Amino acid sequence: MEIAEAIFPTLVLLALGIAAAVLSRLAKVHPIVGYLFLGVAVSAVRPELLSAGGTVHLLAELGVVFLLFDIGLHFSTAHVRHQAAAIFGFGPLQVGASTILIGGCAWALGLTPVAALVIGITLALSSTAIVAGVIADRRQQNCPVALTAISILIFQDVAAIFLLILATTLETGAAGPAMLAALLKTVVAIAIALLSARFIVRPLFAILSRHGGEEVFTATALLIALAAGWTAAIAGLSMTLGAFLGGMMVAESPFKASVRSEIGPFRGLLVSFFFLSVGASLDRAVVASAWLVIVAMAIGIIALKSVGNVLSGPAFRWSVPGSVQLGVLMVGGSAFAFVVFAAPGARAAVGDATAAQLIAAVALTLAVTPSLAYVGRAAAGRLRWRATRKMQTEMAPQGKAKPVVIVGMGDVGRTIADALEEFDIGYDAVERDGARLRGAVADGYNASFGDASDARLWRALDLGGRRFSVMTASSIAAARDWARSSLAVYPDLHRLWLAGSDDEAAQLNELGIEAVVSPDESHGLDAAQALLTALGIPADSVSAWADRQRARIASPLAA
């Protein structure tokens, strides 16, 4: 009975959250807006649902942790080096510009320099959860606008650590030493994450790929995300920064696609609790008595941040349309504002009434950010009719999903990968056998761990952005079990399955799958030729390559 009573609030909120998401979609607004309003409504009608045992607060915190862990999975050290200019250049410039504009306005309105500085820095930050959610909904993860936005958010997350230190030490005056200590801890944390990726995470997942089941893999992914966040929090850093570094650790291994598929369902569910808790945190009395002031504050925040963000773009050679799209995407406030303006030192500097109004204004900016992001994108599109080649490159995906995904890296999979590499065609390969995976990676193939029959992996592999998938080990049973559902979800994906006989090919064709009969002695050359031809490679080039491969197979010493 006690367990039933304990989980009842969570069950009610889950049901209401589903309803809010569906109604938001029907109203053609982002579900985030529905979650925010649901939080306000629940706090007004049944506040005990939100406070029971601290469950909602815990789930909300975990949602942000998993979101940052997922973002970290996209940022290997090579990616960070590639985005270094955005993280360490564009990020500080954007925050600095918005801080000057917002802080200057607050100072002009009569606030003290210290209060204006706190307000300016706090409102210059943007919500990682909202921006990342909008990017994911648009499937823009690999576009420069999205990559730069996430890079800036990484810098902001680090900057938020120092902002929180400033807010909590205003009364004591010990901000300087505390910030220096936080900087040193951050550097140490990054170094530990890089070393752990090489000497702990990669060997651990290699062992699990051989001896662990699906439930062990899921538990390990959860453990890394939570342990990284917990360790950072214990060290006095941001839990979200720790989760991001945990994701980076896994990004260094061939197992990141599988880990993403395991984390995804938890992330999506728990992030909804974060937005619900944001709505519930609003002071309804303040909103009712000063709503005009709150709306004016929200408009001012959006306007000033838009100006600061857009003006920062040209300094990094962004076009006006690109700067507009990126700038408007990040005009909303950050959840850090709720923590900062609740700190006693910050409230004393800013004033209790102003702090409460600013919290409500930030929540309003969070609610309208998804809609404003679409407005900014549309405005950028209208400006692009004069686009130069430089402008066009801002919308061309970087790191776009490669056209082919290969399932299985045995001899046949390697032959197909060799064919694609010969003609400079990008591919990703998936292998569930640990020994074959290690051999393929050691030989330089672009392979990662995963079970193609797991539907959660399909999104992590971005099958919707691929042209071809090649199944190198045919299985009629597997085709019947999950290929049909894959066809329904990704109807435009061209599927090529290898069959060992004409009978197998006929059965696969009946299921709507194109089959290529490729006997064992062909080593997959027939399938490779069929794939190259379908990709538009000239027939004479395909034949010449196949002849060279057959000569090598017949005699390893052949040219």
Side-chain angles (χ1 to χ4, degrees), residues 139-370:
R139 299 179 62 82
Q140 277 188 308
Q141 292 95 327
N142 294 314
C143 286
V145 168
L147 291 172
T148 302
I150 295 298
S151 298
I152 292 173
L153 289 168
I154 292 170
F155 169 80
Q156 289 187 3
D157 196 50
V158 176
I161 299 170
F162 300 96
L163 174 61
L164 293 175
I165 293 171
L166 176 63
T168 54
T169 56
L170 280 175
E171 292 181 317
T172 64
M179 288 186 178
L180 178 60
L183 178 60
L184 294 175
K185 290 178 182 178
T186 301
V187 173
V188 171
I190 293 173
I192 292 174
L194 295 177
L195 292 173
S196 299
R198 183 176 182 85
F199 297 109
I200 298 177
V201 174
R202 186 187 289 257
L204 174 62
F205 277 113
I207 293 172
L208 293 178
S209 68
R210 296 196 302 269
H211 306 296
E214 180 180 337
E215 68 283 356
V216 177
F217 211 92
T218 302
T220 305
L222 294 174
L223 174 64
I224 293 175
L226 295 174
W230 175 83
T231 303
I234 292 297
L237 298 174
S238 165
M239 193 170 184
T240 53
L241 176 63
F244 173 79
L245 293 176
M248 278 188 61
M249 288 190 285
V250 179
E252 298 293 322
S253 75
F255 304 96
K256 63 178 181 180
S258 292
V259 172
R260 282 193 64 206
S261 69
E262 300 291 344
I263 289 291
F266 297 99
R267 180 205 63 200
L269 172 65
L270 296 175
V271 167
S272 64
F273 281 95
F274 165 74
F275 295 117
L276 190 151
S277 66
V278 168
S281 67
L282 297 182
D283 188 327
R284 297 188 303 280
V286 171
V287 173
S289 61
W291 66 271
L292 279 176
V293 175
I294 292 168
V295 171
M297 283 182 170
I299 293 173
I301 293 169
I302 291 169
L304 293 173
K305 288 187 72 172
S306 295
V307 172
N309 293 347
V310 172
L311 292 180
S312 299
F316 285 83
R317 299 182 180 180
W318 277 71
S319 64
V320 172
S323 299
V324 168
Q325 184 176 353
L326 177 62
V328 177
L329 177 63
M330 303 190 67
V331 295
S334 167
F336 285 110
F338 304 123
V339 180
V340 171
F341 292 133
R347 293 185 76 91
V350 174
D352 288 339
T354 302
Q357 292 166 1
L358 284 170
I359 289 174
V362 169
L364 182 56
T365 66
L366 293 178
V368 301
T369 292

Side-chain angles (χ1 to χ4, degrees), residues 430-482:
V430 180
E431 175 57 66
R432 66 180 179 180
D433 182 271
R436 280 200 294 266
L437 173 65
R438 289 192 303 278
V441 172
D443 292 338
Y445 291 100
N446 184 29
S448 59
F449 181 79
D451 184 351
S453 65
D454 187 347
R456 296 172 299 177
L457 186 64
W458 301 347
R459 183 164 183 171
L461 290 172
D462 192 18
L463 289 186
R466 311 275 185 174
R467 291 180 60 194
F468 290 86
S469 69
V470 183
M471 174 65 72
T472 64
S474 65
S475 168
I476 302 300
R480 290 196 179 102
D481 287 343
W482 57 269

